[in-house]
Amino acid sequence: MTALAGAPINDATLWQGINWDLARSEVRRLQMRIAKAVQEKRWNKVLSLQHLLTSSFYAKALAVKRVTSNKGKKTPGVDGVLWKGVRAKGQAILDLRRRGYNPQPLRRIYIPKKNGKKRPLSIPTMKDRAMQALHKLALAPIAETTADRNSYGFREGRGCSDAIAAGFNALNKPNSATWVLEGDIAGCYDNISHEWLLANIPMDRVVLRKWLEAGYMEENRLYPSHKGTPQGGIASPALANMTLDGLERIVREAVPRRSRVNFVRYADDFIITGKSRQILENQIKPSVEKFLAERGLTLSPEKTMITYIKDGFTFLGQTFRKHGKTLHITPSKEGVLALIQKVGELIRTHVSTPLPILIKKLNQTLRGWGNYHRHVVASEAFSRIDTYVYEELWRMIRRRHSGKSERWLAKKYWLASGRRWVFTATGDTKKGKRLYEVVRLSSIGIRRYIKVKADANPYLQEYAGYFWRRRHDKESRLLPAMSAREYLAMTA
């Protein structure tokens, strides 16, 4: 076999013999060639390189590795099959072939949404997941190269923090636009036109058609799928992103440049700024609706609205509001209340469990929420949550030690670490006693985030070093530490 093929196919230790660094290097090399060909608009070369990548041993190995190491590795599809053990994974690599491939129906489940409704989630079989992961490796360089400059959802090297920073850049100046169109697409994943996808997505159309028409199983009954790309599929975010790419160009072409129009999108949620309500209502919104209609999509009437910046709006869990000429971005009230409710339930349901277990779960929840919001004006929200956590822990400890004095409780649980008012508990480990501390959000600190360059492409050689630094050096994504007052003075 060729260099791309790696170990011989009859090797019983096929999986164990894979050099994963080499596999990633070889696949990335092909992906960079695809991105370069897209940039040069050499589409025949793009197709041939895609075929080379989806046929390579290393790409198949990485696809199997992805589906057997992510969170869904223990969730089977309709066939109930999971790939466990090195032999099963090695055989799975050899079974990833285009010839004779027929995807099985998806297993449909429902997960609750914040508004009380349920979101359908479709779970493919392990083999279908691996095939999607394989073809996504060949599709990702195209999606990145043709993507909107200000699209930040489900893209390599981009995330919510970049979208929020882009929103800040669009609205923070004294002469920035004062009206915002908050857009939300109704059932985006479930309603994308199959005809549009098959005519416009540059990938193996035979495989794509089979995915789209596989249908789904619910309560032992097979339902056909006539539209949409199912949520739960590995390739679905890339397909949805490519469906919506071009929206930013349509928005900018709808009005003159002086209209102060800016566009920021994360997955199917987006905001568009404009200097007047009339521009957003009469010029931009009809252009957006026409763009979406061609793809079988519509705006959600309940969630799509036009807002004055001084009244404030919520985007990706953050509230944007201007006070005078200064833009404040703070954690949304709904998000703060949801975290408080979650922390309260966590403490109440673990009231009799060992304290180290409770502290680990609390820290996981608090640190994740705090790290997400640490790039905005969050000091007040952090302080409020710290106070709530303190009060709930105090109530719990008083119930546990109803016969002890407040002084004894404070000395045992809040002063044991040597730092004032940090809740601690001692637990046993293999190495002896260990002190567990509840993280205080106020100690995380506020650090401003540096947005990724809009034109940066992780599949182009000239940006390889840039993305490596952002991935491995967290300080390259953060401004120097400063207080909220210093930050507000800087942006005033």
Side-chain angles (χ1 to χ4, degrees):
M1 301 183 100
T2 65
L4 284 176
I9 61 173
N10 61 349
D11 192 348
T13 59
L14 176 65
W15 182 263
Q16 295 163 310
I18 297 173
N19 183 332
W20 292 108
D21 289 336
L22 179 60
R24 282 185 280 268
S25 174
E26 290 289 349
V27 170
R28 178 57 64 136
R29 182 177 62 83
L30 280 175
Q31 289 177 317
M32 294 175 80
R33 290 179 64 191
I34 292 172
K36 190 69 174 175
V38 173
Q39 200 177 39
E40 296 170 351
K41 302 190 184 305
R42 299 171 62 187
W43 292 103
N44 287 336
K45 184 175 182 180
V46 169
L47 293 176
S48 64
L49 288 171
Q50 280 186 303
H51 176 73
L52 184 60
L53 192 151
T54 55
S55 303
S56 75
F57 173 85
Y58 282 145
K60 293 177 181 180
L62 289 174
V64 172
K65 184 177 177 65
R66 174 171 180 177
V67 301
T68 55
S69 59
N70 61 13
K71 291 183 179 179
K73 64 182 179 182
K74 297 181 181 179
T75 306
V78 292
D79 59 358
V81 174
L82 293 175
W83 291 338
K84 296 181 179 180
V86 294
R87 287 185 179 275
K89 294 174 185 178
Q91 186 60 46
I93 296 173
L94 304 178
D95 290 341
L96 288 185
R97 294 189 297 266
R98 180 182 185 275
R99 180 176 295 180
Y101 170 66
N102 284 300
Q104 297 189 56
L106 307 164
R107 182 163 70 90
R108 176 64 64 90
I109 62 173
Y110 293 88
I111 56 176
K113 298 170 67 175
K114 291 181 180 179
N115 59 8
K117 297 180 181 180
K118 291 187 176 181
R119 183 192 306 277
L121 192 67
S122 301
I123 303 173
T125 64
M126 294 293 285
K127 182 174 181 178
D128 293 335
R129 271 178 257 175
M131 282 293 285
Q132 289 194 30
L134 175 62
H135 283 271
K136 186 182 177 183
L137 288 172
L139 191 61
I142 305 174
E144 282 292 335
T145 309
T146 60
D148 286 343
R149 297 175 79 248
N150 286 291
S151 164
Y152 298 98
F154 303 111
R155 293 181 60 192
E156 185 176 333
R158 288 167 167 81
C160 289
S161 297
D162 296 289
I164 294 164
F168 175 82
N169 293 342
L171 294 163
N172 77 313
K173 300 177 182 66
N175 64 340
S176 293
T178 53
W179 290 89
V180 179
L181 169 64
E182 304 169 62
D184 184 271
I185 301 169
C188 178
Y189 285 85
D190 299 325
N191 294 301
I192 301 173
S193 164
H194 283 184
E195 291 74 19
W196 190 93
L197 288 170
L198 290 167
N200 293 277
I201 299 299
M203 66 166 287
D204 189 323
R205 286 181 174 81
V206 173
V207 174
L208 178 59
R209 184 183 294 277
K210 288 179 178 180
W211 287 346
L212 297 176
E213 297 177 353
Y216 63 92
M217 295 288 293
E218 187 175 357
E219 296 180 350
N220 295 320
R221 183 177 176 183
L222 176 63
Y223 294 86
S225 51
H226 302 294
K227 59 182 179 178
T229 175
Q231 293 189 63
I234 289 177
S236 293
L239 295 175
N241 257 344
M242 296 186 77
T243 301
L244 298 177
D245 284 334
L247 182 56
E248 181 172 4
R249 176 180 54 82
I250 293 296
V251 166
R252 294 189 183 280
E253 290 177 352
V255 292
R257 187 173 181 178
R258 62 181 179 275
S259 303
R260 299 176 214 158
V261 168
N262 288 283
F263 175 90
V264 181
R265 176 168 69 87
Y266 186 92
D268 58 341
D269 293 328
F270 60 88
I271 59 171
I272 305 172
T273 71
K275 69 178 184 181
S276 71
R277 185 186 188 96
Q278 289 71 27
I279 286 175
L280 295 175
E281 185 74 53
N282 301 328
Q283 294 175 256
I284 290 179
K285 190 176 178 183
S287 298
V288 170
E289 290 173 333
K290 181 181 177 182
F291 175 91
L292 295 176
E294 293 172 358
R295 292 152 174 77
L297 302 172
T298 58
L299 289 173
S300 168
E302 301 86 12
K303 297 181 180 179
T304 301
M305 57 192 75
I306 298 175
T307 309
Y308 187 52
I309 188 60
K310 292 190 177 179
D311 295 331
F313 68 94
T314 298
F315 180 58
L316 299 179
Q318 314 285 13
T319 297
F320 293 65
R321 181 180 284 111
K322 237 175 184 178
H323 301 271
K325 294 183 178 181
T326 304
L327 177 69
H328 289 184
I329 306 178
T330 57
S332 67
K333 290 182 180 179
E334 297 82 4
V336 173
L337 291 175
L339 179 67
I340 285 175
Q341 182 180 6
K342 185 174 181 179
V343 167
E345 289 177 357
L346 198 59
I347 293 174
R348 286 188 288 274
T349 54
H350 290 78
V351 67
S352 59
T353 58
L355 287 177
I357 295 176
L358 171 61
I359 291 174
K360 285 181 182 178
K361 291 185 177 293
L362 270 178
N363 285 349
Q364 185 178 12
T365 300
L366 292 171
R367 190 174 283 113
W369 194 90
N371 285 334
Y372 179 80
H373 292 282
R374 69 176 299 201
H375 307 305
V376 301
V377 184
S379 298
E380 185 177 333
F382 284 1
S383 178
R384 178 184 175 187
I385 293 164
D386 284 340
T387 301
Y388 177 79
V389 172
Y390 164 80
E391 291 172 348
E392 287 296 302
L393 289 172
W394 182 259
R395 290 191 189 98
M396 181 196 69
I397 290 302
R398 290 195 68 177
R399 287 196 297 270
R400 285 197 177 201
H401 304 281
S402 56
K404 299 294 185 179
S405 68
E406 292 184 358
R407 187 178 188 134
W408 185 92
L409 295 175
K411 185 177 180 181
K412 180 173 178 61
Y413 291 107
W414 272 275
L415 302 176
S417 66
R419 292 188 292 153
R420 189 171 178 81
W421 302 123
V422 175
F423 185 87
T424 58
T426 304
D428 293 319
T429 66
K430 292 181 179 179
K431 297 182 179 180
K433 297 287 185 180
R434 179 184 168 184
L435 208 60
Y436 293 86
E437 299 181 0
V438 173
V439 66
R440 287 177 59 85
L441 292 182
S442 301
S443 68
I444 290 177
I446 306 298
R447 295 289 300 275
R448 303 303 147 188
Y449 185 84
I450 301 174
K451 187 181 79 68
V452 67
K453 294 178 181 178
D455 293 322
N457 185 339
Y459 297 102
L460 293 179
Q461 183 62 45
E462 54 264 36
Y463 290 108
Y466 173 76
F467 279 100
W468 188 93
R469 286 190 298 274
R470 285 183 69 87
R471 225 176 12 250
H472 294 91
D473 181 11
K474 292 184 179 180
E475 291 299 315
S476 68
R477 292 178 285 162
L478 301 172
L479 289 172
M482 62 179 73
S483 67
R485 181 176 296 178
E486 290 172 328
Y487 174 71
L488 292 177
M490 182 188 76
T491 57

